[in-house]
Amino acid sequence: MRISTNQIYDTGIQGMMRNQARLDKLQNQISSDTKILTAADDPVGAAQVLAVSQSLAVEEQYQTNQSSAKSQLSLVDAQLTSLTAAMQTVRDNIVKAGNPTYTAADRESVAKDLESNLAEILGIANTDNGTGDYLFSGYQGGTRPFAADGLAAKSPATESSIAYSGDAGQRTVQVSSSRQMAVSVAGSDVFMNGKNGNGTFVATTGGNDVGVTASTGNTGTVTQSSWSLNRTQWDAALANTVPPVAALPLSVHFIDPANYEIIDSAGNTTGSTPYTSGAAIALSVNGVNYGAQITLSGTPVAGDSFAIKPGINQGTGVIDMGSVLDTQKWSAAVNNALAGKPVEIRFSANATTGKMEYSIYDPVGGATAAQAFTTGQAISLKTAGGVDFGSQVVVTGTPKVGDSFTVTPSTSQSVFQTVQNLIGILRSPVGTTYSSTQLANDLAGQLSNLDQAMSQVSDVLSTVGANERELVALDSTSSDLVIQYKATISDIQGLDYNKTYSDYTRQQVNLEAAQNWSDDCLFGRADRGRRCRRRAALRDLRPAGAQLEHRGKAACRRHLLPRAARQELSYRRRRRGDPDHQAARFAASARKGLCRLSHSRLLGRHRVEHAADASRLRGNRSTGPDRAGSAALADDDEVAEHRLQAELEQRLQR
């Protein structure tokens, strides 16, 4: 089989290209720190790396989400902590304002402090996260959650002027494969949905008269002079559930100085009725007779009005916020016929002893039998109809006959309304229509509402703190998973540096050797032949030198002396005893010296030429001086040879 020269060239080039490709691959593996550059390098390993890398990317995204959630929850935590501090300041001010020695000016100063606290609480409620999303607006992050019509509360405030514009949602972040964590809090849960009273029911003063309060905008001279109340008829009116029903409070409105009308809270009116100063006005509207009368005296102005509702207690009795002893009994009681209806504790005097007694009254079953009252005594809420609320209250002080306290189920009340109510209570003038005992009861009731609001905030803060602790645990778990995934990927595609660098060095040597061979053999026929011949000459150089040395010695013996001299020397050698033997010895010595000289000349020339050839074969072009030196040495040897031959011939002739 014949192999062409081009095929040899192609094979050599392909070998170099393969070596170069292997070297490039090793370089890429070292630079990228991986032994799997493409799926073809290790299909199974590449598939495993892809799957683990996807899991790693997901876990790293979870870590990013956890960091974002932790940042947002930290901001919520800080704001709730500030809210708690502000509400605690309000509470401290209310406790301080309950001091009986405080004057109206002192209470006004506290009310101004409460207005400042209310503004601070409103600012906290409208806090955003720095990117335009409000913390307490639910899903509606871009909506300002709370808006105020005005911070000044009425005296006392009956409804909050601050409304919530958000929703009840919570924005969440996926922090693990199976956990979505809330990173915001609905403002309704923090500021709006706190229960009043003790969270189950509210205990307030029920009143002992008909309360008549003049409107602050009145400009006439009308005042209340007297009142009368039929308790039985009053109770019947309030207990009636068949229309028409009672709708307190009532309002006596002057159409003009000579006429007035009575309006209930449902908007029903008596129509125009003639007014006479000092005449009794019966409270009856829309077919409901309240069993009460008031007497107004003076000259009214059109637009003047008076609010009528149950009045204040006359004694010094103060009720606490109460407690629930059995939640099941309470739930059963409020879900029966008494649902939503108040239960009253009414005080009366024993007809025989004159000592204070109390009874429990409900609109359905009426009043229970009177029981002796002791200040600080726990009063169980059990009605005449046999309904047990499983609860109790404590009344301290000395109530007066006709005083009452009302117990109703708790409802939601915003923290804003609580603070506004407190401001209104503190600005109510204490006197005939608003006693210090009523002030103490109202402050105690609103303080209980504030405590419930603070408890609500505390619950939300606890939830946020629990989420932050969970994030710490999740972050630890995610970090461990990331480390494990990275270790798995490293095990699959990681480099064995010792082996890789060893392979790289070996491959580099192989490539350099192949490139040197290509320089010698793959660049033209003439150049290739010359290089090959020179390499052959280098191999034959030493044997050729030995042959030259042998031929030089023979030449000395055959050609350096004339034939006559050789014959003479032979003849003299045969005749050992001849007197001219000394001359023959000299001739032989001269011959040997000349031979040595000639041999040294020939050997020196050979060595010089050998060095020049070796230099040319190695690519050294500076062989001129060597050739010049060789020529000079040859000339010197030739002159010495002629001189020695001439001297030898002269001695032989003698």
Side-chain angles (χ1 to χ4, degrees):
M1 177 179 180
R2 301 182 62 183
I3 300 176
S4 66
T5 303
N6 288 336
Q7 186 175 1
I8 295 174
Y9 295 162
D10 292 341
T11 301
I13 293 174
Q14 291 175 3
M16 283 192 296
M17 295 301 292
R18 285 192 299 270
N19 289 335
Q20 184 66 53
R22 295 190 190 101
L23 188 63
D24 291 342
K25 181 177 180 180
L26 290 172
Q27 288 175 336
N28 289 335
Q29 287 178 338
I30 294 173
S31 62
S32 61
D33 193 21
T34 176
K35 67 181 180 182
I36 302 178
L37 299 176
T38 63
D41 295 338
D42 185 356
V44 176
Q48 293 176 344
V49 168
L50 178 61
V52 178
S53 297
Q54 291 175 344
S55 299
L56 175 61
V58 171
E59 203 61 40
E60 288 177 339
Q61 183 61 52
Y62 287 151
Q63 282 188 312
T64 302
N65 294 352
Q66 291 164 11
S67 177
S68 175
K70 188 181 299 182
S71 175
Q72 296 184 60
L73 287 176
S74 296
L75 184 57
V76 173
D77 191 338
Q79 295 304 314
L80 291 177
T81 301
S82 299
L83 176 61
T84 302
M87 295 174 71
Q88 184 62 45
T89 301
V90 172
R91 193 181 194 285
D92 294 341
N93 285 332
I94 296 306
V95 173
K96 182 170 59 176
N99 190 334
T101 63
Y102 264 39
T103 64
D106 295 332
R107 289 192 293 272
E108 176 62 25
S109 176
V110 175
K112 290 181 178 179
D113 288 343
L114 293 184
E115 286 181 342
S116 176
N117 298 141
L118 182 59
E120 180 184 0
I121 293 173
L122 182 61
I124 293 173
N126 288 322
T127 302
D128 62 24
N129 60 3
T131 61
D133 290 333
Y134 292 95
L135 297 180
F136 304 108
S137 61
Y139 291 130
Q140 303 179 35
T143 301
R144 185 181 181 87
F146 295 95
D149 297 330
L151 295 181
K154 297 180 180 179
S155 177
T158 57
E159 60 181 349
S160 174
S161 60
I162 300 175
Y164 178 56
S165 302
D167 54 38
Q170 291 182 322
R171 295 187 294 274
T172 60
V173 173
Q174 189 82 29
V175 294
S176 70
S177 59
S178 59
R179 180 73 167 93
Q180 285 188 338
M181 182 170 291
V183 295
S184 68
V185 179
S188 56
D189 293 337
V190 180
F191 301 94
M192 305 299 292
N193 292 342
K195 295 294 184 179
N196 57 4
N198 61 11
T200 303
F201 61 84
V202 181
T204 60
T205 56
N208 191 15
D209 61 2
V210 178
V212 180
T213 305
S215 175
T216 57
N218 290 352
T219 58
T221 61
V222 176
T223 60
Q224 176 191 0
S225 58
S226 63
W227 60 272
S228 63
L229 176 65
N230 184 325
R231 173 65 69 175
T232 302
Q233 198 169 4
W234 175 272
D235 291 340
L238 297 181
N240 186 26
T241 59
V242 179
V245 296
L248 293 178
L250 304 178
S251 174
V252 178
H253 175 71
F254 285 92
I255 301 173
D256 54 52
N259 298 283
Y260 69 90
E261 62 179 347
I262 300 176
I263 306 172
D264 65 13
S265 60
N268 301 311
T269 180
T270 59
S272 179
T273 304
Y275 166 71
T276 301
S277 179
I281 299 175
L283 300 181
S284 178
V285 61
N286 192 33
V288 178
N289 187 353
Y290 291 89
Q293 292 181 342
I294 62 173
T295 301
L296 300 178
S297 302
T299 303
V301 175
D304 286 356
S305 62
F306 293 84
I308 301 171
K309 59 182 180 180
I312 63 173
N313 290 342
Q314 302 301 311
T316 60
V318 177
I319 191 170
D320 71 348
M321 64 179 179
S323 58
V324 177
L325 304 179
D326 191 329
T327 56
Q328 292 183 350
K329 288 183 178 181
W330 173 267
S331 299
V334 298
N335 289 323
N336 63 10
L338 292 176
K341 295 181 175 60
V343 174
E344 293 185 23
I345 303 173
R346 293 179 175 179
F347 292 89
S348 60
N350 185 278
T352 303
T353 63
K355 292 184 177 180
M356 192 61 61
E357 297 177 335
Y358 73 92
S359 61
I360 308 298
Y361 170 83
D362 71 80
V364 176
T368 63
Q371 303 178 55
F373 169 74
T374 301
T375 182
Q377 168 190 352
I379 300 175
S380 298
L381 301 180
K382 296 180 182 180
T383 68
V387 178
D388 186 356
F389 286 86
S391 306
Q392 66 181 23
V393 294
V394 176
V395 177
T396 58
T398 305
K400 284 189 176 181
V401 175
D403 286 354
S404 65
F405 295 96
T406 303
V407 176
T408 56
S410 295
T411 58
S412 296
Q413 179 172 307
S414 72
V415 63
F416 307 110
Q417 183 176 350
T418 299
V419 178
Q420 286 180 313
N421 288 346
L422 287 168
I423 294 172
I425 291 170
L426 291 176
R427 285 178 172 163
S428 297
V430 176
T432 304
T433 59
Y434 194 73
S435 64
S436 59
T437 302
Q438 187 66 33
L439 174 65
N441 276 297
D442 289 346
L443 287 178
Q446 296 303 322
L447 189 61
S448 176
N449 297 341
L450 184 63
D451 289 340
Q452 288 299 314
M454 294 180 66
S455 177
Q456 180 77 8
V457 174
S458 179
D459 291 342
V460 175
L461 188 58
S462 297
T463 302
V464 172
N467 288 343
E468 289 180 303
R469 288 194 300 271
E470 184 179 356
L471 280 176
V472 173
L474 288 174
D475 180 67
S476 177
T477 301
S478 296
S479 298
D480 292 342
L481 286 175
V482 167
I483 294 174
Q484 180 180 351
Y485 289 148
K486 288 182 178 180
T488 301
I489 293 174
S490 177
D491 291 341
I492 296 174
Q493 66 177 12
L495 279 179
D496 182 350
Y497 284 97
N498 293 333
K499 181 179 182 303
T500 302
Y501 278 111
S502 177
D503 292 344
Y504 178 82
T505 303
R506 186 180 68 254
Q507 197 63 43
Q508 192 175 30
V509 171
N510 292 342
L511 180 60
E512 291 176 354
Q515 289 173 342
N516 290 336
W517 178 84
S518 68
D519 289 341
D520 291 342
C521 300
L522 298 180
F523 296 97
R525 289 185 177 181
D527 184 65
R528 185 179 69 255
R530 184 174 63 255
R531 291 175 184 274
C532 292
R533 286 193 297 272
R534 286 176 180 175
R535 284 196 296 272
L538 282 175
R539 288 194 302 270
D540 297 339
L541 187 60
R542 189 173 300 276
Q547 293 174 8
L548 285 175
E549 182 178 1
H550 175 72
R551 287 197 299 271
K553 293 180 180 180
C556 287
R557 288 193 296 268
R558 290 195 304 270
H559 303 293
L560 291 181
L561 294 178
R563 185 173 181 180
R566 290 199 305 273
Q567 291 176 354
E568 179 66 20
L569 288 174
S570 177
Y571 174 75
R572 295 288 186 183
R573 189 179 301 115
R574 287 194 299 269
R575 296 178 59 186
R576 296 288 183 180
D578 193 307
D580 295 329
H581 181 66
Q582 186 68 28
R585 291 182 61 189
F586 171 78
S589 176
R591 185 197 65 193
K592 291 181 180 179
L594 184 58
C595 288
R596 290 192 184 96
L597 177 63
S598 298
H599 173 68
S600 298
R601 178 176 60 82
L602 290 175
L603 185 58
R605 182 181 298 173
H606 162 70
R607 289 175 178 173
V608 170
E609 291 178 354
H610 168 66
D613 289 340
S615 177
R616 285 195 305 274
L617 290 176
R618 289 180 175 83
N620 186 359
R621 297 181 180 178
S622 60
T623 57
D626 295 334
R627 291 180 178 178
S630 177
L633 181 60
D635 292 341
D636 293 341
D637 290 345
E638 186 175 359
V639 171
E641 179 183 352
H642 285 303
R643 186 176 300 169
L644 181 61
Q645 185 175 359
E647 182 180 357
L648 179 62
E649 289 178 351
Q650 290 176 1
R651 288 191 178 187
L652 290 175
Q653 289 176 1
R654 290 195 300 266

